[in-house]
Amino acid sequence: MKNNAAWLDNAVFYEIYPQSFNDSNGDGIGDFNGIIEKLDYIKELGCNALWINPCFESPFGDAGYDVSDYYSAAPRYGTNEDLKRLFAECHKRDMHILLDLVPGHTSVEHKWFKESMKAERNEFTDRYVWTDSIWEEPQGMGCIRGISERDGSCAVNFFSHQPALNYGFYKCDRPWQQPMDAEGPRATLEALKDIMRFWLNMGCDGFRVDMAGSLVKHDEDGKGTIMLWQNVREFLDREFPEAAMVSEWGEPDKSLQGGFHMDFLLHFGPSHYNDLFRCEEPFFCERGKGDVSEFVTKYLENYEKSERKGLICIPSGNHDMGRLSQTVHGDTLKIAFAFLLSMPGAPFIYYGDEIGMRYVEGLASVEGGYGRTGSRTPMQWDDTTNAGFSAAPREKLYIRQDDTPDRPTVKAQMNDESSLWHEINRLIKIRQSHKALQSKGEIKFVYAEKNAYPFAYLRSADDEKILVVLNPADRETSFDCGYTLTEKLYSFGGELTSENGRITVPPCTAAFYKVK
Ligand code: NOJ
């Protein structure tokens, strides 16, 4: 891999769920021009990169993760020209932007699928994973059947309206399963590259890739899927060596072998991410009853497997999980961000998390959101109509907004130096002025004991060493540390004290120190 996407080394991402970010034309739903209007805001917060959720034509049965035309922007957000302008406006500000690539499945309304359902053989017959009889289900995958002229069941990837694209099977044990090098799977892969080529030519900087580890079927160890992505990386190295690739895979060793630059830490599977923020007793909680140790064990395992490259991206949240502020409150949110913004890999801030936007309870599902809907509500900018999100009548908003009288807003928090917004702003500035704290700085865990506080780790690059100490618990804690504190770079809460190699940490404190 040429790894020319050097901008990732100090990228701090802001994830935009386009439906809910900023509505520039008063129709109740966000749009590209609305995003452009807020680029200066995002830059002022300190983020220099964007990930926007799928914004292509779609019946929106899964908020756009059910694409019906990969080459056209969804009209509700604007035109391809508007999207192109968004890329250019980002670049003007020295920012970068990733689109969301959904390679695993399409919508049932995609023309490929409509062709693929026909009885007569055509170019798209093998574009999806089909069994050769309506009475045979693709084991373990769920399927669509009974709606096609074709005699067969089509595997699905997620919801039952998302047919699985056919990249082949690593091991075939049924006649309808095709190897990766069969004509159908090869054509699917070429079609994928063509989509990437289209948007990269238009100016996007790369992709966040949806369910990147799931493309090749019967591929338990991911070997086939790794090969597939290596093939994509070769194409990128040839045609778009600067293109950045971030995977939703959750196994960085595999994803990095496949040529991805970074992989997400997932909130499901074995990562223990939820131990930090989203469980009954999260580590980041003033009660101090959480446990960070299993997260650290798993993180280290992945860190070692990915050659200590530290390319695991930790998100504050995303459109698939509860809001961070649901389980982490008040000043503890600031300590949680001190963690998120001092770890290796590029941090991702989910829109609204910078002001502690709340999960809105009790909403009916919108666009396949179900329990996720409450984390996808319209952004709260100020104290004008609809919190400045849209001029549409309230009942026309894409999702009902948090309507509690004390809902947080950007305006109020920007006017208050002690707000979460300002703390995040300070933390990003510190990260950006120390290479050791950025994506590729090394990490060594100094104190991460079972059911104990604080949590301490050392970040280093060149000859700079920075000790990060986090104590979200509302009691004083201490730990033995082999480093001498030399200069304070940041503190929130109280001040660390050091005596005979033992560091005492006041309650509810985060601190970064240069050490030797
Ligand atoms: C992961 C996406 O983040 C999620 O929102 C979507 O529903 C599934 N993949 C299916 O594409």
Side-chain angles (χ1 to χ4, degrees):
M1 174 170 40
K2 293 193 184 150
N3 191 12
N4 282 337
W7 58 270
L8 284 174
D9 294 356
N10 72 348
V12 178
F13 277 89
Y14 191 82
E15 177 192 345
I16 294 181
Y17 184 75
Q19 289 89 323
S20 294
F21 192 57
N22 187 32
D23 171 17
S24 73
N25 62 358
D27 62 358
I29 192 158
D31 45 51
F32 297 138
N33 287 334
I35 299 176
I36 293 173
E37 282 174 8
K38 297 294 183 186
L39 288 178
D40 289 333
Y41 162 77
I42 296 167
K43 179 114 199 207
E44 190 174 350
L45 174 66
C47 295
N48 54 10
L50 302 183
W51 155 30
I52 48 176
N53 295 110
C55 53
F56 314 107
E57 270 189 17
S58 162
F60 291 98
D62 183 13
Y65 284 94
D66 47 335
V67 179
S68 57
D69 180 356
Y70 287 102
Y71 294 94
S72 303
R76 68 191 199 173
Y77 301 134
T79 60
N80 281 14
E81 277 309 302
D82 295 329
L83 184 51
K84 189 172 175 182
R85 207 158 57 80
L86 170 58
F87 300 154
E89 291 292 329
C90 283
H91 297 154
K92 257 194 216 164
R93 292 165 176 80
D94 206 15
M95 295 168 83
H96 292 87
I97 176 164
L98 302 184
L99 288 181
D100 205 320
L101 183 70
V102 190
H105 48 268
T106 67
S107 153
V108 277
E109 291 185 19
H110 197 291
K111 64 177 188 241
W112 296 345
F113 189 65
K114 290 186 178 156
E115 288 299 309
S116 194
M117 283 200 294
K118 292 185 177 160
E120 199 172 316
R121 254 201 99 71
N122 61 54
E123 189 189 338
F124 302 102
T125 300
D126 295 328
R127 181 62 42 104
Y128 297 84
V129 178
W130 286 91
T131 66
D132 52 16
S133 153
I134 185 79
W135 308 119
E136 180 170 355
E137 288 179 37
Q139 312 108 333
M141 284 187 249
C143 68
I144 301 173
R145 55 181 173 171
I147 62 164
S148 65
E149 187 181 283
R150 170 181 186 160
D151 184 9
S153 309
C154 185
V156 297
N157 239 23
F158 195 69
F159 288 145
S160 54
H161 54 73
Q162 289 162 316
L165 285 160
N166 180 23
Y167 295 93
F169 283 68
Y170 191 64
K171 284 182 226 125
C172 303
D173 54 31
R174 301 289 302 146
W176 50 267
Q177 296 173 351
Q178 301 176 345
M180 291 174 67
D181 59 358
E183 204 181 321
R186 279 197 288 127
T188 311
L189 183 54
E190 290 313 307
L192 177 68
K193 291 182 197 166
D194 203 59
I195 295 160
M196 297 172 78
R197 189 181 281 123
F198 180 82
W199 291 110
L200 289 166
N201 273 330
M202 203 171 280
C204 91
D205 297 294
F207 301 94
R208 172 267 185 188
V209 179
D210 188 63
M211 298 171 69
S214 72
L215 300 194
V216 177
K217 308 302 181 198
H218 283 187
D219 183 29
E220 288 75 44
D221 301 330
K223 292 204 177 91
T225 306
I226 293 171
M227 267 156 57
L228 182 147
W229 286 114
Q230 284 171 341
N231 181 318
V232 171
R233 190 67 242 178
E234 278 166 29
F235 141 72
L236 291 173
D237 282 346
R238 257 190 330 270
E239 296 184 31
F240 302 97
E242 305 277 315
M245 297 287 283
V246 179
S247 52
E248 185 200 33
W249 193 321
E251 294 181 275
D253 54 324
K254 294 182 182 157
S255 137
L256 297 189
Q257 276 181 63
F260 282 94
H261 296 97
M262 295 185 176
D263 188 25
F264 273 107
L265 190 79
L266 300 181
H267 62 290
F268 50 89
S271 75
H272 286 276
Y273 170 79
N274 290 340
D275 298 5
L276 303 173
F277 311 118
R278 289 174 176 80
C279 62
E280 224 177 286
E281 290 294 353
F283 180 78
F284 287 97
C285 175
E286 52 295 344
R287 285 191 296 276
K289 291 186 176 159
D291 178 28
V292 79
S293 67
E294 291 190 80
F295 161 78
V296 168
T297 305
K298 195 69 207 171
Y299 186 93
L300 269 178
E301 209 179 278
N302 279 321
Y303 189 64
E304 295 298 336
K305 280 203 252 173
S306 49
E307 298 162 31
R308 306 178 64 78
K309 283 198 195 119
L311 301 173
I312 305 167
C313 301
I314 311 186
S316 67
N318 67 29
H319 59 290
D320 289 334
M321 53 178 131
R323 282 276 181 190
L324 184 62
S325 68
Q326 235 180 325
T327 40
V328 183
H329 311 287
D331 281 349
T332 316
L333 276 169
K334 298 176 180 167
I335 302 175
F337 271 98
F339 163 75
L340 289 162
L341 293 165
S342 64
M343 283 293 282
F348 278 69
I349 300 176
Y350 183 49
Y351 84 96
D353 278 353
E354 75 273 28
I355 53 168
M357 248 173 77
R358 300 177 187 138
Y359 179 86
V360 179
E361 303 279 352
L363 295 177
S365 177
V366 174
E367 296 190 342
Y370 300 96
R372 306 175 292 184
T373 307
S375 302
R376 299 174 174 188
T377 59
M379 182 68 175
Q380 295 147 206
W381 294 102
D382 55 32
D383 48 12
T384 62
T385 312
N386 300 320
F389 162 69
S390 166
R394 188 164 167 259
E395 59 286 358
K396 280 250 168 82
L397 298 192
Y398 167 74
I399 295 177
R400 180 162 68 71
Q401 205 163 27
D402 177 358
D403 51 14
T404 51
D406 64 342
R407 64 185 174 195
T409 66
V410 167
K411 185 174 169 210
Q413 294 216 2
M414 285 182 81
N415 284 335
D416 172 6
E417 276 294 319
S418 69
S419 66
L420 177 61
W421 193 96
H422 278 284
E423 208 60 49
I424 291 175
N425 186 245
R426 281 191 276 276
L427 283 160
I428 298 178
K429 283 190 186 132
I430 293 167
R431 180 179 176 100
Q432 298 305 45
S433 46
H434 296 276
K435 211 171 141 201
L437 292 173
Q438 295 171 8
S439 300
K440 288 187 172 165
E442 271 201 43
I443 187 164
K444 195 169 138 199
F445 292 98
V446 176
Y447 190 83
E449 297 300 310
K450 189 148 192 68
N451 297 322
Y453 287 70
F455 178 28
Y457 46 88
L458 188 78
R459 299 292 317 276
S460 57
D462 307 328
D463 49 12
E464 187 174 52
K465 287 189 175 58
I466 299 176
L467 181 71
V468 175
V469 183
L470 306 166
N471 179 26
D474 62 5
R475 58 176 185 271
E476 184 181 280
T477 56
S478 62
F479 68 109
D480 286 325
C481 176
Y483 301 98
T484 311
L485 309 180
T486 57
E487 183 193 338
K488 185 174 90 173
L489 298 175
Y490 170 79
S491 78
F492 171 78
E495 300 296 328
L496 305 189
T497 48
S498 170
E499 210 182 322
N500 302 328
R502 192 151 184 92
I503 294 183
T504 302
V505 197
C508 305
T509 289
F512 302 172
Y513 272 81
K514 278 197 188 182
V515 294
K516 56 176 199 236

